[in-house]
């Protein structure tokens, strides 16, 4: 079985988050995406301290597809320098992980 990741990014609006999630999942780069928001973000950006609202996207994916997911997110994201990060899924139910693997296989029937 493949290794798995949860890949995250954020957008300024719910609509942008849905559009980005649909583009990633429809191309089978991720099995699914969760959109959480709005969330409050506190950050340093371009030398200034700020606070704002964002919509967080969490993608369920295979580790061997990370480079493709990152490239897709960077190409289609509305921001010039978005967060794109990943953490390993160190455990999960066997059926769930089989679904992630199957759903991210091109030409899968899932």
């Amino acid at each position: 079985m493949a290794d798995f990741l949860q890949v995250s990014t954020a957008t300024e609006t719910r609509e942008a988050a849905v559009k980005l999630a649909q583009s990633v999942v429809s191309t089978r780069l991720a099995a699914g995406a969760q959109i959480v928001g709005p969330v409050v973000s506190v950050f340093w950006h371009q030398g200034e301290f700020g606070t704002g609202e964002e919509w967080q996207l969490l993608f369920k994916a295979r580790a061997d597809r990370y480079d493709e997911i990152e490239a897709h997110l960077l190409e289609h994201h509305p921001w010039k320098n978005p967060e794109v990060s990943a953490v390993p899924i160190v455990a999960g139910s066997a059926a769930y992980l089989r679904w992630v693997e199957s759903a991210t296989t091109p030409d899968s029937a899932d």
Side-chain angles (χ1 to χ4, degrees):
M1 193 172 281
D3 290 325
F4 301 95
L5 300 173
Q6 180 172 279
V7 180
S8 65
T9 192
T11 62
E12 187 172 3
T13 67
R14 181 185 184 278
E15 294 75 21
V18 170
K19 183 178 178 180
L20 195 56
Q22 289 173 333
S23 74
V24 172
V25 176
S26 69
T27 58
R28 294 194 175 272
L29 293 173
Q34 293 174 312
I35 299 170
V36 182
V39 296
V40 175
S41 183
V42 179
F43 53 86
W44 281 99
H45 182 66
Q46 297 180 340
E48 294 186 19
F49 182 74
T51 303
E53 284 190 351
E54 297 177 340
W55 291 81
Q56 185 179 37
L57 290 89
L58 304 171
F59 296 98
K60 311 321 181 227
R62 292 186 351 220
D64 64 349
R65 307 278 322 261
Y66 177 78
D67 290 341
E68 295 172 87
I69 296 167
E70 180 183 299
H72 184 95
L73 289 171
L74 294 175
E75 180 180 341
H76 294 93
H77 203 288
W79 294 343
K80 290 181 182 179
N81 185 27
E83 167 205 356
V84 179
S85 60
V87 295
I89 297 174
V90 297
S93 70
Y96 172 76
L97 296 177
R98 279 193 304 273
W99 168 74
V100 173
E101 185 168 16
S102 175
T104 55
T105 301
D107 302 322
S108 175
D110 273 356

